[in-house]
Amino acid sequence: MGSYDFQKIEKKWQSYWKENRTFVAEKLSDKPKYYALDMFPYPSGKGLHVGHPLGYIATDIITRFKRLKGFNVLHPMGFDSFGLPAEQYAIRTGIHPAETTAKNISRYLEQMEALGFHYDPDAVLSTSDEDYYKWTQWIFLKLFKHWYNKAEEKAQPIEDLIAIFEKEGNANIVAATSQKEIFSADDWMGLDEKGHADILMNYRLAYNAYANVNWCPALGTVLANEEIKDGKSERGGHPVERKQMRQWMLRITAYADRLLYNLDNLDWSDSMKNMQSHWIGRSEGANITYDVDGVEDTITVFTTRPDTLYGNTFMVLAPEHDLVAKITTPEQQKEVEEYVTWAGSRSEKDRIADTTKTGVFTGGHAIHPLTGKKLPIWIADYVVITYGTGAIMAVPSGDQRDWDFAKKYDLEIVKVVEGGDDADAPYQPKDGIIINSEFLNGMVAKDAIGAMIDKLGEMGIGDKEVTYRQRDVIWSRQRYWGEPTPIYFKDGIAYPMDESELPLTLPEIDQYKPSESGEPPLSRAKNWKERPDGGLVDLNTMPGLAGSSWYFMRYPDAKNDEAFADRKIVDYWMPVDLYVGGTEHAVGHLMYSRFWTMFLHDMGEVSVEEPFTKLVNQGKIQGTSQLVLRKVEDGVQKFVSADMVSDAERADYAEIHVEVSMVQAQTLDLEEFKKDPMLEGKYEFITNAEGEFKTVPRAEKMSKSYYNTVDPVDICRDYGADTLRLYEMFLGPLEMAKPWNTDGITGVHTFLKRAFNLFINEQEEVIVTDEKATDEELKYLHQCIKKVEEDIERLAFNTCVPAFMVFAKEIGRLKCHKREILEPFLRVLSPFAPHFCEELWEKIGYKESILFSTYPTFEEKYLVESTINYPVQINGKVRAKIDAAADADKAAVEEIALGNETVQQWLEGKSPKKVIVVPGRIVNIVV
RNA sequence: GCCCGAGUGGUGGAAUUGGUAGACACGUUGGACUUAAAAUCCAAUGGCUAUUGCAGCCGUGCCGGUUCGAGUCCGGCCUCGGGUACCA
């Protein structure tokens, strides 16, 4: 046999698809569209490993399927090609990042082609292409030129805002803004250009401000919170510190409510929605203003539990709070200053590691707004300046942190919610009864919240308030390999560049690292940053998030140079019907993509507000590392087969990663291993009784440093792309994480060989006949079609594979080679094993690619059995089987069941209390 | 701590709305073909009891509940994975 020559077949069809431009989508069409998208990769120098294509295979299958179903399909691929690794490589080697990136991209494309992915060649894009980032800059300018009207929940041109300022000042404007002072029209008219610019900056959606940033000295740049893991940079693992810097920021908080409420209508997993809503972190409560004893100033706090105000016994400010200096008494000054300095020097990491509450008394007191009691004001770093107002009313009887603090510093505790008799714990459930609280006594806490807010409102010292956890995002990076910011400064005023000046391209520079004086790399550019009018171009570039926040809207019309995309074309294709990618982008990329899409919607540039209707998170494929056990004795390395080492002895051995390709079935190929250049000096091997050397497997991240990466191209060489595609799907549900192992790959490969033999005999002849199919054969066919069609629709690709296998086995058993059966089978299988099916499709006599064929519909009539074999349960246990006609009604089935001899024996003459017949399923008799 | 998700044979995993748990595959064992091996094909394969024949009992992390019937639903725990955190 061996006639299934997958290497030849796959090469042939890959070039056929390319030459015939089989996968170019119609930009506009009357046909329904289907847009499936993978999160585009960063083209790293390491290439793809078998974990990457999992999601790509899934989208490839569903789009091929949809195409057969008559949809106009878009399935593009691109590259998130701005980024740190290429830049760091450039710093080391002097090679331009564009060069490295281009090389990596072509390697990725080669690998992807080898897997049979059909990407639309007209839609391929890279975020670092000038004709792409032109539009990234264009959107940034739009953000700069707009403000967010909270009253209308919509972004509006900044000119509209100026018109209002000129007429009536800012008092009546409800906006997402960092502007705190109220001014009148006269005030506004009295300001100069710089004054206007400064105020407008507080309203712009892209704005420039001083911000406490995460500065990474090793990378010479600022990082977003999402780019930091455990106090270190996500890429590279360098330490990160806090620093005040002037930065571009995007006012994503303006969209917080829309980003939150729209989640309800998205077909995303619960955990994904959960992460997003938690990230936005909306909490409702009240702001309460306190007078400060002896000082002309007030403290405003945010609380979600105004009902516990009577339990408030002290105040806590963040150490960075503005008022700290004002209220600190001379006696306390030294201690407070020391604490502020100490707290400021603590890194993020220290604060996370250390949860003990520390603080110092300022000496000042606030006046309780209801009781008039003097409340001591403390500072403590468990109150953070960035959330709420940076100050809290401490209610130790209700809040764990306040409780701990009060206990530590011996502060008063007043119980305000009934119950909770544990003397060592705070207690304040929202359904508890309020006590010790004057007018609130006896109320349920959640009602008391409203009552208290009303009261505070009457007194003019408090109001309802909503606070968000989400922060505006810092949009400046002090890097080279990113989109330049199309803004220039003159006399301290930021001016947007004219759209005709876009793209603002990256200048050539001699070195890619920051300048000696700590300026961003772009400061090294000659004849670039200075403008004829004396302005200076901003030296920051945008973060990696920029290019990926809108790329899905570029694909449908990726070559357009008049607009980021033609309005009609984006509206036809958007939203993305299926977006597949990893969970790691839950709060980063996905949040900013939704934000930019909403913004462009407000601009009237696109119709949709939400870009991704359905989101699926593919599980990571982990590597399976192989470890050998080694002990060094008298300078000799002793390698011992793992099954010869008891658990107790295991600790004496070091575990050494070995290249996974040298291990088959947990057995190390010793001859190969001995060739390994890493194996130096004297060594010996201790094998088991069979003379084999066993390794220890361990599932961990697929990484070159663990010698556990598997190149998909290697698998394609050994088994073929079709086998790999089927196998990756067969491994388990798309969403599930799973370790890579090739143990089962022969199973799917055998299936393909078996299926091949249905068409071609050992003499390489086509043996397909035009005979009429029998009902039994048609039954297997239609069972397969039905199952696969339903499972593809619900993205259960894993269970499609067994359906194919059963078909091939049964049809093979029936020695059936009939066109009527095999031709539809090819169409059903083709999304999974496209090369295989194209080849046989051609062999049995079709000129056009199978992709221009149609998906066969299943015919119910072949699936209907004439009789149904019912299991009969008696008191829940299956005791007998009966046959009943498929169209028999419940009563008839019941009659047959009760008449059955075995059933009667089990009934022992007793009459049933109840008989339950589930049509087509089961009969249950209750005695 | 809090919020999600998951726990099923030796292994990966099926079981879509509660209806014969273990599909399909790997592995293992036995057999056919072969001088032999590979390849291919066939059979068995959750556990226990019985195996002369039918068969019976137990079984989806643990405990309890709802139901004629629970892997699936509810309550409480345990373990693992992911997210998140002085968020007031």
Side-chain angles (χ1 to χ4, degrees):
Chain A
M1 242 163 271
S3 53
Y4 169 42
D5 185 349
F6 52 84
Q7 286 186 355
K8 204 171 116 199
I9 292 171
E10 290 178 0
K11 209 164 252 157
K12 171 180 164 188
W13 289 100
Q14 280 159 16
S15 43
Y16 175 93
W17 293 327
K18 205 172 186 177
E19 279 159 27
N20 290 278
R21 295 170 55 81
T22 312
F23 303 115
V24 177
E26 294 173 57
K27 287 194 169 177
L28 282 171
S29 163
D30 295 334
K31 285 197 249 175
K33 62 94 185 182
Y34 190 85
Y35 184 4
L37 186 63
D38 301 286
M39 288 185 186
F40 63 168
Y42 172 79
S44 86
K46 291 169 192 147
L48 292 172
H49 59 63
V50 288
H52 293 109
L54 183 70
Y56 308 160
I57 295 171
T59 47
D60 194 63
I61 289 170
I62 193 149
T63 46
R64 282 174 183 269
F65 170 77
K66 288 287 181 183
R67 184 175 193 123
L68 295 181
K69 294 279 268 180
F71 285 80
N72 186 23
V73 158
L74 181 60
H75 182 219
M77 178 51 74
F79 297 93
D80 190 10
S81 49
F82 274 134
L84 210 44
E87 176 160 327
Q88 288 187 304
Y89 186 73
I91 291 171
R92 281 204 311 278
T93 62
I95 297 172
H96 196 286
E99 202 178 305
T100 325
T101 304
K103 210 173 84 197
N104 292 344
I105 287 177
S106 69
R107 167 132 184 248
Y108 267 61
L109 285 171
E110 255 168 57
Q111 285 182 302
M112 288 170 174
E113 194 177 300
L115 288 160
F117 298 139
H118 68 296
Y119 297 124
D120 186 331
D122 287 351
V124 172
L125 60 82
S126 298
T127 54
S128 59
D129 286 348
E130 285 173 18
D131 56 2
Y132 179 84
Y133 73 68
K134 170 181 178 179
W135 300 105
T136 310
Q137 292 172 331
W138 180 83
I139 297 170
F140 180 86
L141 285 182
K142 289 274 178 202
L143 286 160
F144 179 80
K145 291 177 194 169
H146 287 78
W147 65 289
Y148 197 81
N149 186 337
K150 269 282 180 191
E152 300 198 12
E153 285 289 354
K154 197 170 184 262
Q156 291 181 342
I158 206 89
E159 288 78 20
D160 296 3
L161 187 67
I162 296 172
I164 300 170
F165 287 167
E166 286 172 353
K167 226 169 78 197
E168 54 176 58
N170 71 344
N172 299 321
I173 291 172
V174 193
T177 178
S178 25
Q179 174 74 23
K180 292 197 181 85
E181 291 80 32
I182 303 294
F183 55 83
S184 66
D186 285 347
D187 296 338
W188 172 261
M189 298 310 277
L191 290 169
D192 61 2
E193 194 184 355
K194 175 82 166 63
H196 288 164
D198 287 348
I199 288 176
L200 290 174
M201 197 58 98
N202 289 335
Y203 287 86
R204 295 181 190 277
L205 284 169
Y207 64 101
N208 199 244
Y210 275 102
N212 231 335
V213 299
N214 304 300
W215 173 254
C216 180
L219 299 173
T221 191
V222 158
L223 298 171
N225 288 330
E226 295 87 320
E227 293 170 304
I228 299 166
K229 286 267 175 286
D230 304 325
K232 299 211 164 152
S233 66
E234 196 180 20
R235 280 187 180 157
H238 305 291
V240 174
E241 55 191 51
R242 310 284 294 171
K243 193 176 167 183
Q244 275 271 324
M245 283 180 79
R246 197 163 180 84
Q247 297 286 312
W248 284 102
M249 323 250 302
L250 296 192
R251 207 178 297 281
I252 188 173
T253 48
Y255 284 84
D257 279 328
R258 277 164 79 184
L259 288 168
L260 183 65
Y261 294 131
N262 281 4
L263 282 176
D264 284 349
N265 302 318
L266 297 179
D267 187 3
W268 293 17
S269 71
D270 288 345
S271 72
M272 195 53 73
K273 289 185 184 182
N274 208 317
M275 275 188 235
Q276 289 225 337
S277 75
H278 187 257
W279 191 257
I280 295 166
R282 180 190 159 95
S283 50
E284 290 182 16
N287 269 354
I288 306 174
T289 302
Y290 289 68
D291 286 329
V292 182
D293 188 32
V295 178
E296 271 301 295
D297 224 319
T298 56
I299 297 175
T300 302
V301 299
F302 173 74
T303 177
T304 54
R305 296 298 300 271
D307 56 309
T308 62
L309 183 53
Y310 283 98
N312 172 211
T313 51
F314 59 100
M315 310 296 287
V316 187
L317 305 184
E320 302 88 345
H321 199 282
D322 291 343
L323 275 177
V324 173
K326 259 194 197 170
I327 56 178
T328 302
T329 56
E331 309 82 75
Q332 295 299 109
Q333 188 146 0
K334 189 162 171 270
E335 207 182 337
V336 167
E337 276 171 8
E338 275 171 11
Y339 186 80
V340 170
T341 313
W342 174 79
S345 70
R346 292 182 94 193
S347 71
E348 199 94 326
K349 213 177 148 191
D350 295 338
R351 277 176 83 146
I352 289 165
D354 175 17
T355 55
T356 56
K357 311 278 174 288
T358 60
V360 294
F361 179 45
T362 60
H365 289 86
I367 308 297
H368 193 288
L370 299 175
T371 64
K373 252 171 48 180
K374 281 189 179 183
L375 307 173
I377 304 172
W378 287 65
I379 60 170
D381 74 346
Y382 81 88
V383 176
V384 293
I385 190 69
T386 48
Y387 183 78
T389 59
I392 61 158
M393 58 172 228
V395 183
S397 62
D399 183 277
Q400 186 68 52
R401 291 154 305 173
D402 297 345
W403 172 276
D404 294 344
F405 197 77
K407 283 281 171 192
K408 179 162 178 183
Y409 295 105
D410 201 19
L411 297 159
E412 193 188 359
I413 298 174
V414 174
K415 230 169 124 57
V416 283
V417 180
E418 200 172 53
D421 297 326
D422 184 352
D424 281 325
Y427 185 81
Q428 59 169 18
K430 277 195 178 169
D431 52 4
I433 305 292
I434 302 288
I435 53 169
N436 297 333
S437 300
E438 313 273 324
F439 72 102
L440 295 178
N441 285 342
M443 286 177 92
V444 176
K446 54 177 177 259
D447 302 329
I449 293 175
M452 179 59 89
I453 292 175
D454 291 345
K455 171 92 175 172
L456 294 169
E458 281 164 31
M459 296 171 67
I461 53 160
D463 207 351
K464 239 187 216 162
E465 178 71 18
V466 177
T467 299
Y468 300 88
R469 198 183 93 97
Q470 185 173 44
R471 298 273 95 79
D472 282 343
V473 57
I474 293 164
W475 212 249
S476 292
R477 298 291 182 272
Q478 294 66 45
R479 285 183 199 160
Y480 175 74
W481 194 227
E483 300 86 352
T485 315
I487 299 280
Y488 63 93
F489 290 93
K490 205 180 149 191
D491 304 325
I493 300 172
Y495 295 96
M497 287 189 181
D498 193 82
E499 279 178 26
S500 64
E501 295 177 81
L502 300 182
L504 172 62
T505 55
L506 276 169
E508 292 297 326
I509 55 176
D510 52 353
Q511 279 189 66
Y512 300 97
K513 59 185 177 197
S515 75
E516 280 65 30
S517 55
E519 292 276 289
L522 287 183
S523 66
R524 296 172 180 273
K526 308 258 164 19
N527 308 320
W528 181 82
K529 52 186 194 262
E530 305 84 3
R531 293 172 58 87
D533 57 7
L536 268 180
V537 176
D538 192 286
L539 299 175
N540 297 301
T541 53
M542 298 188 209
L545 291 164
S548 62
S549 293
W550 72 282
Y551 74 110
F552 40 88
M553 290 187 274
R554 178 68 173 172
Y555 280 133
D557 194 18
K559 300 270 188 285
N560 197 328
D561 56 6
E562 305 281 310
F564 71 85
D566 183 271
R567 174 71 196 264
K568 274 213 275 312
I569 296 173
V570 222
D571 280 353
Y572 171 70
W573 285 104
M574 288 298 288
V576 174
D577 296 280
L578 174 67
Y579 195 27
V580 177
T583 14
E584 65 272 23
H585 299 106
V587 288
H589 161 62
L590 286 168
M591 194 71 90
Y592 300 110
S593 296
R594 294 181 61 216
F595 163 39
W596 278 37
T597 308
M598 279 177 199
F599 173 68
L600 289 171
H601 168 85
D602 288 357
M603 295 293 90
E605 297 287 344
V606 291
S607 295
V608 289
E609 203 177 328
E610 284 292 340
F612 314 121
T613 310
K614 185 173 176 64
L615 176 76
V616 171
N617 299 112
Q618 98 270 26
K620 279 201 189 66
I621 291 190
Q622 298 162 292
T624 303
S625 301
Q626 298 292 345
L627 306 157
V628 295
L629 301 180
R630 186 188 68 178
K631 183 155 75 170
V632 182
E633 278 177 355
D634 308 325
V636 180
Q637 305 181 59
K638 262 174 85 177
F639 292 94
V640 184
S641 180
D643 52 355
M644 303 296 283
V645 177
S646 71
D647 290 348
E649 297 167 325
R650 182 62 79 79
D652 302 339
Y653 290 84
E655 294 174 335
I656 314 288
H657 280 88
V658 295
E659 179 57 49
V660 285
S661 58
M662 294 192 295
V663 179
Q664 284 291 318
Q666 245 45 261
T667 307
L668 180 67
D669 185 334
L670 283 180
E671 295 314 308
E672 278 298 315
F673 184 54
K674 284 173 185 166
K675 289 183 207 157
D676 195 319
M678 284 176 50
L679 196 59
E680 288 174 341
K682 290 184 182 172
Y683 54 84
E684 59 175 303
F685 293 96
I686 298 170
T687 55
N688 65 12
E690 285 83 40
E692 293 169 337
F693 190 91
K694 293 290 184 188
T695 56
V696 183
R698 181 191 293 160
E700 56 194 348
K701 197 178 135 219
M702 211 174 259
S703 157
K704 282 263 192 299
S705 59
Y706 295 145
Y707 301 100
N708 65 356
T709 54
V710 181
D711 185 341
V713 175
D714 289 346
I715 304 288
C716 290
R717 190 190 55 232
D718 295 344
Y719 297 97
D722 288 333
T723 299
L724 177 65
R725 292 163 60 104
L726 279 164
Y727 184 57
E728 289 216 10
M729 292 300 104
F730 182 65
L731 272 176
L734 190 54
E735 296 91 336
M736 193 184 280
K738 50 223 150 189
W740 175 257
N741 75 78
T742 46
D743 290 352
I745 201 165
T746 53
V748 282
H749 193 63
T750 304
F751 152 71
L752 283 179
K753 284 196 279 189
R754 193 180 279 159
F756 197 83
N757 292 333
L758 296 173
F759 296 79
I760 310 286
N761 69 7
E762 286 175 47
Q763 287 73 47
E764 308 280 329
E765 296 158 339
V766 178
I767 49 171
V768 174
T769 70
D770 287 326
E771 270 176 277
K772 192 114 184 59
T774 65
D775 277 357
E776 189 183 11
E777 290 158 354
L778 285 163
K779 186 185 86 180
Y780 288 123
L781 173 68
H782 289 287
Q783 268 175 357
C784 179
I785 300 172
K786 181 173 194 267
K787 174 83 177 147
V788 172
E789 178 163 356
E790 286 173 359
D791 286 358
I792 289 182
E793 292 287 1
R794 64 186 182 100
L795 307 180
F797 305 109
N798 51 325
T799 50
C800 293
V801 185
F804 295 131
M805 289 177 172
V806 169
F807 171 88
K809 199 167 203 169
E810 297 297 341
I811 291 299
R813 182 178 57 80
L814 294 171
K815 302 209 169 17
C816 164
H817 302 287
K818 297 169 186 169
R819 173 180 293 268
E820 192 183 344
I821 299 295
L822 296 179
E823 185 199 300
F825 170 66
L826 281 183
R827 288 185 281 176
V828 175
L829 180 62
S830 67
F832 291 81
H835 317 82
F836 176 94
C837 294
E838 289 277 21
E839 177 71 10
L840 291 168
W841 187 249
E842 187 192 53
K843 283 224 156 70
I844 64 172
Y846 291 92
K847 287 205 190 78
E848 275 222 307
S849 161
I850 197 168
L851 267 157
F852 297 103
S853 136
T854 52
Y855 194 85
T857 45
F858 70 89
E859 292 178 50
E860 197 77 53
K861 65 179 173 183
Y862 295 111
L863 303 180
V864 174
E865 304 285 343
S866 54
T867 59
I868 294 173
N869 188 250
Y870 284 88
V872 182
Q873 295 182 349
I874 294 168
N875 288 339
K877 285 207 158 45
V878 177
R879 296 301 186 190
K881 297 266 172 89
I882 57 159
D883 283 326
D887 54 357
D889 62 11
K890 281 188 183 185
V893 176
E894 183 178 332
E895 198 182 321
I896 297 168
L898 291 173
N900 181 279
E901 211 174 289
T902 321
V903 172
Q904 298 223 325
Q905 274 175 22
W906 280 99
L907 287 176
E908 295 164 339
K910 284 177 273 188
S911 59
K913 274 190 206 138
K914 199 171 169 191
V915 178
I916 295 128
V917 177
V918 183
R921 296 283 192 180
I922 204 162
V923 180
N924 195 352
I925 300 169
V926 188
V927 185

